[in-house]
Amino acid sequence: MNRRELLRLASAFASLTITAAKAEDDASDVVAFLKTWDAGQITLGRNILPPTDPSWKDAFKILGEAPRGKRPFEVAQYFKESVPARFQEAWPESDANPVIVKFFYDLKQKPAGDTTPWCAAFVNWCLAQSGVKGTNSASSQSFIDQHWGKEIWKVGDGSPIMAKQGDIAIFKHRSDPTHGHVAFFNKMDPSQSGHIEVLGGNQLKRVGNAIIHLIDYAPMRIDSELQLFSIRTSDGLRAM
């Protein structure tokens, strides 16, 4: 091996070392932020991975490769279609998924005790990545409470045929209107009357006897206990 190859290898090794060190430093900041949460709010996993865990480096790479200059819906699609399955879902029975934790950290928000505790963090992260101003809140209902965007459909309007892919769909629990769900509208569900298809975080999916929480497409009933309450749009959400 000649001197040039040795220098190249040494440079590559130094680059990897620096990258690993930076990942550990960045992870340390996130873990410190998590320690400011109330113990009861850390519901995304039983443990927080130590900064030295390689999953943090994987998470930073995933987030760093998320598209910019695209519609928020396309950012959400990236997580569904291009991210390893393991990082698409919450790990409530083990460690907190560092990708999901980072959604909260980048917004400098803590879980708001919502029934769907990371759906709003995911939507707001995708909005911010696209340069669209969101609600900067971890609550799904912030899109209604803050009168975000322009409402194009509200409960009682019938079928939301005016909604377009990329709009924001907000749901409320009838029995607890302060909580609900938020996701990106994709389309009317042609296979099920009274349903729309959404793309979002913390979507529920049954696998055997277990229910997993993940980034996914999901059909959702318009009129149920978790009721579609509003669909809102803003500049930069829809395809040209």
Side-chain angles (χ1 to χ4, degrees):
M1 184 177 295
N2 60 37
R3 184 171 181 274
R4 178 176 294 180
E5 289 174 328
L6 285 171
L7 288 172
R8 180 181 60 79
L9 288 173
S11 176
F13 178 77
S15 177
L16 287 172
T17 303
I18 292 169
T19 300
K22 185 177 187 308
E24 185 173 337
D25 287 344
D26 290 346
S28 295
D29 291 341
V30 179
V31 171
F33 172 71
L34 294 179
K35 290 180 179 178
T36 69
W37 297 4
D38 294 335
Q41 289 183 315
I42 304 177
T43 59
L44 305 177
R46 293 182 178 178
N47 305 299
I48 304 301
L49 291 169
T52 54
D53 191 285
S55 291
W56 284 109
K57 184 178 176 182
D58 294 337
F60 293 137
K61 182 175 185 293
I62 287 167
L63 293 163
E65 291 179 351
R68 291 181 178 273
K70 302 286 187 179
R71 293 187 299 133
F73 187 87
E74 294 174 83
V75 179
Q77 281 182 313
Y78 159 78
F79 284 98
K80 172 59 185 171
E81 297 172 3
S82 302
V83 169
R86 177 170 178 263
F87 286 98
Q88 292 180 18
E89 64 184 74
W91 309 337
E93 299 305 316
S94 57
D95 303 305
N97 181 340
V99 168
I100 297 173
V101 166
K102 192 71 162 48
F103 294 150
F104 287 99
Y105 176 79
D106 286 348
L107 295 169
K108 295 299 185 286
Q109 292 291 316
K110 302 173 185 179
D114 205 342
T115 304
T116 52
W118 56 280
C119 60
F122 176 71
V123 167
N124 270 301
W125 197 93
C126 293
L127 292 172
Q129 186 74 0
S130 300
V132 177
K133 185 177 180 180
T135 64
N136 197 41
S137 171
S139 169
S140 62
Q141 302 309 294
S142 62
F143 288 88
I144 294 172
D145 297 339
Q146 296 183 23
H147 305 288
W148 182 89
K150 176 184 177 183
E151 187 171 59
I152 57 164
W153 182 93
K154 63 182 183 299
V155 64
D157 280 353
S159 182
I161 57 175
M162 299 300 292
K164 301 293 184 183
Q165 185 192 72
D167 291 341
I168 304 296
I170 307 104
F171 298 79
K172 278 182 180 286
H173 277 285
R174 291 178 186 268
S175 58
D176 184 4
T178 61
H179 294 152
H181 186 54
V182 62
F184 293 102
F185 177 90
N186 185 30
K187 62 183 179 181
M188 300 296 297
D189 190 336
S191 64
Q192 301 183 77
S193 176
H195 287 68
I196 62 172
E197 183 180 88
V198 298
L199 170 62
N202 206 31
Q203 307 275 41
L204 306 185
K205 182 177 181 180
R206 182 174 292 278
V207 178
N209 293 325
I211 294 178
I212 59 176
H213 303 245
L214 72 167
I215 299 167
D216 202 1
Y217 294 92
M220 298 190 68
R221 284 183 58 185
I222 294 172
D223 191 14
S224 64
E225 161 58 22
L226 184 57
Q227 181 182 34
L228 180 63
F229 191 83
S230 178
I231 299 179
R232 312 183 80 88
T233 195
S234 183
D235 291 344
L237 265 62
R238 297 178 170 187
M240 299 298 291

